[in-house]
Amino acid sequence: MRNDFLAALAALAVATSALAAERPQDRWSLADLYPDAQAWSADVAKTEAQLKQFASCHGHLGASAARFRQCLDLEYDLFKRYARVSTYAGELEAEDTGKSESQALNQKAQVLGAQVGEDTSFVNPQILAIGKARIDAFFRQEPKLAIYRQPIDDILRTAAHTLDAKGEAIVAAFGLSQGNAGSAYRILANSDMPWPTVKLSDGREMKLDQAAYTDAREAANRDDRKKVFDAFFGKWKEFESTIGVTLYGAMKEDTVYTKVRKYPDSLARSLDANNLPRSVYEALIKSANANLPTLHRYFRLRAKMLGVAEMRYYDIYPPLVSGGREYPIDEGTRMMLEAVKPLGDAYVAAMKKGLDERWMDVYPRPRKLSGAHMAGEAYDVHPLLLINYTNNYESVSTIAHEWGHAMHTYLSNKGQPYATSQYATFVAEIASTLNEALLLDYALKNARTDEERLLYLGSALEGLRGTFFRQAMFGEFEERTHALVDKGEALTGAEYTKIYAGILRRYHGEAQGVVKIDDLYTVEWAYIPHFYNSFYVFQYATSIAASSLLADEILAGKPGARERYLKLISSGSADYPYNLVKAAGVDLATAEPYDAVAKRMDRIMDQMETILVRRKTSY
């Protein structure tokens, strides 16, 4: 679920060597979903048959409590089956984004998904027509309906934004064309982009695709870093107009649905999907800007440690300390298992089960989807994790992150019926970033030298920058650009670049002389895939704020802290996500958790500066 902001990917040379060493246990087992495409097609046929059967519920949902339950049981069973079908097709394509057979399978799944949406679109209007009083009576008469209480209440809550049955059917029909802009971007960015080749100072020639860029931007040689940034963002600049069209298309789509659903703006519609108060978004952006001095302190420390007089944008990614050691995947998983022990034996055992049963695809390969993610929609099977592991500490941090998602899914599926098993992104990134915090604590406690401690502290500092400040910055960019599109203004690629440049430079303190950013690099927005999933990234920032507070309490052994956290990640969508997090002890509509992130960064920098002084005086 993170791509650009955690540098856990590989250069092509590393990918080749990793692939050569790949073992059977380093590949996931998609056969756990379906043994082959024929079995997948059989389940597609079952889903289509269920849709025909479900048509008999049209107009009869309110006939009786028994009929209401029968229809809901059928609806959620077909949703569950479709989720499995979709997961298989999506992850099969992720294995090789250039394989036409997998693309065709995934496209078929998307068509089926649109059909599922269209053929079940009558449900919400009919539930509203039945009315809360009669539905409440159904729940009293039929105890087995209890598992649907939360989703039904959510439908009743959104009455003002739900159309009549005919209107919902029309909206659902457009689901077939939904997301096309993001699909086009995905293929361009991962398969069809004509990536440039650069020659580095050591004589290596590198094809600078996304995986290679995330590795090469860490180069120790500063001239190499500049060459990498110039070539990589130069290529995105060539496609600035095209990608401007795809992003504008995605935002226009959001605006259309916003108007149809009668929301004041796209942000309001997005937040209301999970009943999130707007004050959460506002508190995040306000607090991130208020704490920019901490971010600027980090950049100044980075410049000092890198020995550069003027910090440039291409100086952001090289590690502050050369790690020197590698972390093979077996060592990485061992560290992760040790790190999560504060969460209890049952948590550790469940994670080990997943490792033993090959839930994870480990190494990069040509045309494999870049980045890392966890796919957890297959309720009756298990989560799947796509990783691009490169044997560095950031790779260890990445698997800890993604396994946090996997354990969240595993525990929610175990603790909840399917109807309330799926959790919101607002909660999801808490589980992943809390695992990272536990990993850092373990790594620091077991570090053998000051150099190793600096490596871990520097990695944590960069993680906080990337997950809190960078994602808040993205959130501000989304808020600004969506607001313009909602007002009917046209945006070109050049205009996106202009808006992004202003925000980017403010966050990085260019006016204060903190970081100098070349004009070319302000096309970076075109490289960020998350913008095609509107108002998604801000939840990374809110989540790391929550997980920082929760991790501190767990590591300190605060009574009840672990239990509250495990309850949170076992609750799925049994309540609204803001309420679940607040019950765990964190109110994300206030400044406190966001200010705590800045304080944590300041504490880390204090530790690093103490080590640097000690190291200097020892010479």
Side-chain angles (χ1 to χ4, degrees), residues 4 16 23 110 162 236 243 265 267 295 443 478 517 549 553 581 589 614:
D4 71 292
T16 303
R23 308 162 299 181
Q110 290 170 3
T162 304
W236 289 101
I243 299 174
D265 54 45
L267 176 58
L295 179 63
E478 282 194 280
I517 299 174
L549 290 179
E553 291 181 352
V581 178
R614 181 167 66 235

Side-chain angles (χ1 to χ4, degrees), residues 93-152:
E93 184 183 36
E95 287 185 330
D96 185 347
T97 62
K99 190 174 181 180
S100 59
E101 297 90 340
S102 299
Q103 290 176 11
L105 218 65
N106 200 25
Q107 288 169 3
K108 185 174 182 179
Q110 290 170 3
V111 170
L112 177 61
Q115 191 66 47
V116 169
E118 186 173 352
D119 289 357
T120 60
S121 64
F122 67 84
V123 172
N124 289 13
Q126 286 194 20
I127 287 174
L128 294 174
I130 294 167
K132 187 176 187 303
R134 183 165 172 77
I135 285 175
D136 286 347
F138 286 169
F139 275 92
R140 289 192 297 269
Q141 296 165 25
E142 180 56 79
K144 290 184 179 180
L145 276 171
I147 61 173
Y148 302 117
R149 182 79 261 188
Q150 175 65 16
I152 294 300

Side-chain angles (χ1 to χ4, degrees), residues 210 248 278 413 449 525 607:
Q210 292 199 54
Y248 183 54
R278 197 178 188 114
N413 288 355
T449 64
W525 63 269
Q607 293 178 64

Side-chain angles (χ1 to χ4, degrees), residues 8 53 96 99 141 194 210 258 263 285 325 388 419 436 535 558 562 619:
Q53 183 183 355
D96 185 347
K99 190 174 181 180
Q141 296 165 25
Q210 292 199 54
T258 293
Y263 285 98
I285 301 301
R325 70 178 272 204
N388 283 280
E436 290 184 70
F535 301 109
K558 184 175 179 179
R562 180 172 73 184
Y619 291 146

Side-chain angles (χ1 to χ4, degrees), residues 190-210:
N190 288 283
S191 181
D192 292 348
M193 183 76 86
W195 299 112
T197 297
V198 296
K199 187 172 184 179
L200 303 180
S201 58
D202 60 3
R204 282 187 301 152
E205 287 195 354
M206 179 179 291
K207 184 179 179 181
L208 208 58
D209 59 12
Q210 292 199 54

